[in-house]
Amino acid sequence: MTEKAINILGIESSCDETAAAVVRNGREVLSNVVSTQILVHRKFGGVVPEIASRKHIEHVMPVIHKALTDAGLTLQEVDAIAVTYGPGLVGALLVGLSAAKGLALGSGKPLIGVNHLEGHVFANFLADPELEPPFLALVVSGGHTSLLVVEDYNTFRLLGQTRDDAAGEAFDKIARFMGLPYPGGPEIERLAKNGDPAAVDFPRPLLPGCFDFSFSGLKSAVINYIHTEEQRQSGFRREDAAASFQQAIVDVLVKRSQEAIRATGLKKIVLAGGVSANRHLQEALAEGARASGAELVHPTPILCTDNAVMIGVRGYYQYLNQDFASLDLNADPSLKLGE
């Protein structure tokens, strides 16, 4: 892409991870620092926004300092600062944005606003060094389930998205209903390993004539099933319920992805978002992609969940496109993208 080494400092604070990283030329990770709040929020069964914001305030500058130190660079030696501007928790985002704006103003470096979901997609450029657009992307996270075409490094076309609950949200809510600790997705997967995915025939909601998703009905069906079986004292196996629920979600995601592969003719599909760490989903989607004549790419586990490496990678390609953000202090405190 370019002969000169471009170093991007990435900052991520959209939910309950305070993260910073330095990425060189969009493909080389010089540092990756993540301060997680999982243990803080676990006692509440989910993320408490006010607590998350306060923890970000405590950790954001030490995390940034460590990322620069681990990379062996000073702030003056980075070429730009990339930061998540959304979607996410407003208060949590504001902490990272404020830190990034202050560093950009103080150092004179350009500021780049990165869409969190685009960042997840771009983590796949580290998983597959040969990956180039165009390709399909399936984003599966706590707040989003989307299918899109990545037409080039800065052009995205949405094919479909969730109309209600996201897949990750359904995982978390069912886990909470079953009394499993936060975060719920990995706990459901752990429980499902010892269950029969065909034990309960949960619905596979597939909206006709589109690529959209809907998981609220499935979530309700699982809750009703568990509640009924507990009332009957039937001795049902929680492992079977978890495995059948997980299988229903995976079946829908694979089916929609296969439809998108056939409709677009694209030969690569990438998996992105926190739920992309689910091994059963990875295996089923890889098999479904192969059956449709395509190949699956997914990030390493550490890059599936929220991190700043993905923000740095996405920020690099925006840097090449001169896609910088405004630093006008008189503007709204949220990040304002340039024209």
Side-chain angles (χ1 to χ4, degrees):
M1 294 273 177
T2 179
E3 294 183 2
K4 179 182 181 297
I6 303 297
N7 299 311
I8 306 294
L9 170 64
I11 300 171
E12 155 65 23
S13 69
S14 65
C15 191
D16 61 341
E17 317 281 9
T18 314
V22 179
V23 176
R24 176 168 290 167
N25 292 339
R27 303 274 179 154
E28 181 184 355
V29 181
L30 300 187
S31 64
N32 180 22
V33 182
V34 180
S35 176
T36 183
Q37 301 177 19
I38 286 178
L39 295 179
V40 175
H41 297 284
R42 180 166 287 171
K43 68 183 76 171
F44 304 105
V47 177
V48 180
E50 175 64 21
I51 294 175
S53 300
R54 291 179 181 274
K55 289 298 179 181
H56 285 309
I57 291 171
E58 292 178 21
H59 297 294
V60 65
M61 294 312 297
V63 163
I64 291 170
H65 177 73
K66 180 167 175 52
L68 290 169
T69 300
D70 289 354
L73 298 175
T74 66
L75 183 60
Q76 287 301 325
E77 291 175 303
V78 303
D79 294 275
I81 299 165
V83 61
T84 304
Y85 73 85
L89 302 176
V90 174
L93 287 166
L94 189 58
V95 176
L97 284 166
S98 299
K101 272 193 171 185
L103 291 173
L105 281 165
S107 64
K109 302 295 180 179
L111 180 66
I112 301 168
V114 174
N115 180 288
H116 181 77
L117 302 181
E118 293 176 9
H120 273 301
V121 171
F122 275 56
N124 284 281
F125 286 115
L126 295 172
D128 180 2
E130 303 302 316
L131 181 63
E132 300 285 348
F135 55 81
L136 276 171
L138 174 64
V139 181
V140 193
S141 67
H144 302 271
T145 304
S146 307
L147 260 172
L148 60 147
V149 176
V150 179
E151 297 182 339
D152 59 45
Y153 288 104
N154 295 293
T155 306
F156 312 91
R157 175 163 54 93
L158 181 67
L159 295 179
Q161 60 187 335
T162 184
R163 295 192 181 182
D164 41 57
D165 290 355
E169 181 183 359
F171 270 119
D172 286 340
K173 287 182 177 177
I174 294 302
R176 187 181 306 167
F177 183 78
M178 296 178 73
L180 299 174
Y182 170 82
E187 295 298 324
I188 290 286
E189 183 181 12
R190 179 189 58 77
L191 195 62
K193 287 179 181 177
N194 297 315
D196 178 5
V200 187
D201 186 20
F202 289 128
R204 270 74 167 161
L206 285 167
L207 301 167
C210 67
F211 294 104
D212 286 350
F213 302 90
S214 171
F215 294 108
S216 64
L218 170 61
K219 181 191 68 178
S220 298
V222 176
I223 291 173
N224 290 338
Y225 169 80
I226 295 174
H227 179 73
T228 299
E229 296 304 310
E230 287 177 341
Q231 292 288 85
R232 291 175 177 170
Q233 297 182 337
S234 65
F236 80 102
R237 298 183 71 243
R238 285 157 48 88
E239 294 86 350
D240 290 345
S244 299
F245 164 60
Q246 177 179 256
Q247 189 64 53
I249 286 186
V250 168
D251 285 349
V252 170
L253 294 173
V254 171
K255 177 71 172 176
R256 275 289 184 251
S257 298
Q258 289 181 309
E259 292 172 349
I261 290 169
R262 288 193 292 269
T264 62
L266 293 171
K267 299 304 181 184
K268 280 201 176 183
I269 178 169
V270 307
L271 182 58
V275 183
S276 66
N278 185 293
R279 291 296 300 275
H280 183 52
L281 174 59
Q282 292 174 5
E283 293 166 2
L285 192 57
E287 182 179 344
R290 281 194 299 271
S292 300
E295 176 189 356
L296 174 70
V297 179
H298 63 80
T300 58
I302 197 170
L303 297 184
C304 288
T305 52
D306 290 350
N307 63 87
V309 171
M310 66 186 195
I311 304 304
V313 174
R314 178 69 188 108
Y316 168 74
Y317 290 101
Q318 291 180 244
Y319 178 89
L320 295 183
N321 199 44
Q322 298 289 288
D323 182 10
F324 300 139
S326 168
L327 285 173
D328 182 3
L329 292 179
N330 295 316
D332 184 274
S334 61
L335 189 63
K336 296 296 184 182
L337 296 182
E339 294 297 326

